[in-house]
Amino acid sequence: MGSTMCKCGHTDRRPSAPGLAPASLLRMIVTPAVREYLDATLHPPDPLLAEMQALGARERIPILDAQSGALLHVLARATGARRIVEVGTAIGVSTLHLARALPAGGELVSFEIDDGRHAAAERYLERAHLAARLDLRLQDARAGLAELQPPFDLAFIDGVKAEYEEYLTLVVPLLRSGGLVAVDNVLMSGTVAENRSDGHWSEQQIATARAFNARLLDHPELIATITPVGDGIALAAKR
């Protein structure tokens, strides 16, 4: 039986599946038929992305699922983002989707606290010829965000789940009016909606997520919604 350490520091003891990233081992929010259909609509990953996905599956590293990655890429394009900030680089899968949407001269600042994953991301993104657009920082995002100067067009939060409220507090002032923040794992395999543990996400984690979602949806500076893409992605535009 395999185990997955997610960015919140919680271990998933579910059986591993060959060729699947850890995110895909979680109980799906959508029905199997919908998931199968959505997966069939995706273009196959290019060799570099496929290699990153394989590493995620092999080493049990939490990486962004393909549907969520496609959504981030579209959002970055749709907003015309030139400056993006990301909390939680991991090995660079989400970073790759976002950076590929940037125009020439665009910038993406990404924070990671695990030195091994940070180094892997640097290697992969160098091979993707995206290094000129990237500022990859081995730094706690709470300290790093406080050092940044606005405006940013898009922010993606996928770091330590217990710290989401702190990230949001620091991110909102960085966004321009009309800027977008996307937040991953807000439904936690559906447990946030059911309000009960599934053995992976704890009761405390679920309660924290529900409180965060409520704050995000009621934030006076944001217009927000929650989508069932991937493990749940919240989207909020700054007023």
Side-chain angles (χ1 to χ4, degrees):
M1 181 174 289
S3 64
T4 300
M5 183 67 73
C6 69
K7 291 179 184 176
C8 62
H10 187 78
T11 301
D12 180 5
R13 296 290 181 183
R14 300 165 191 251
S16 59
L20 294 180
S24 64
L25 301 179
L26 301 178
R27 181 165 56 86
M28 293 304 166
I29 296 168
V30 298
T31 66
V34 171
R35 182 68 183 193
E36 183 178 350
Y37 172 76
L38 293 176
D39 286 346
T41 67
L42 292 169
H43 296 294
D46 60 77
L48 180 63
L49 180 55
E51 183 179 332
M52 297 168 79
Q53 291 171 338
L55 176 65
R58 186 171 64 252
E59 301 294 332
R60 310 287 296 180
I61 299 169
I63 59 174
L64 196 69
D65 69 279
Q67 285 290 345
S68 299
L71 176 63
L72 286 187
H73 184 88
V74 169
L75 290 172
R77 290 269 186 166
T79 57
R82 297 189 63 85
R83 297 189 76 206
I84 299 173
V85 60
E86 176 184 42
V87 178
T89 318
I91 59 171
V93 172
S94 52
T95 319
L96 182 72
H97 286 291
L98 289 167
R100 283 177 166 172
L102 284 170
E107 175 191 23
L108 192 163
V109 181
S110 184
F111 297 98
E112 176 58 47
I113 56 175
D114 184 290
D115 55 357
R117 293 175 185 177
H118 171 80
E122 285 187 320
R123 292 192 297 270
Y124 281 126
L125 296 166
E126 177 70 31
R127 288 170 54 193
H129 306 292
L130 294 169
R133 304 178 187 182
L134 300 174
D135 181 357
L136 303 181
R137 302 189 183 186
L138 183 61
Q139 183 183 22
D140 188 313
R142 293 170 295 179
L145 290 168
E147 299 171 357
L148 298 180
Q149 295 297 315
F152 281 82
D153 306 296
L154 175 63
F156 179 51
I157 296 175
D158 190 19
V160 179
K161 309 314 170 196
E163 297 172 1
Y164 270 19
E165 290 221 21
E166 293 175 84
Y167 302 147
L168 185 68
T169 297
L170 292 163
V171 159
V172 170
L174 295 175
L175 291 174
R176 63 167 170 82
S177 178
L180 186 70
V181 56
V183 187
D184 197 20
N185 302 116
V186 298
L187 293 179
M188 293 182 169
S189 308
T191 59
V192 170
E194 295 171 353
N195 199 22
R196 59 186 175 89
S197 175
D198 62 353
H200 171 67
W201 298 107
S202 70
E203 299 287 352
Q204 180 58 55
Q205 288 172 316
I206 293 165
T208 299
R210 288 173 67 93
F212 170 80
N213 290 348
R215 182 187 174 210
L216 179 72
L217 292 168
D218 291 337
H219 198 291
E221 295 183 70
L222 301 172
I223 303 169
T225 189
I226 293 175
T227 76
V229 177
D231 200 27
I233 294 183
L235 301 174
K238 188 172 182 180
R239 297 179 187 275

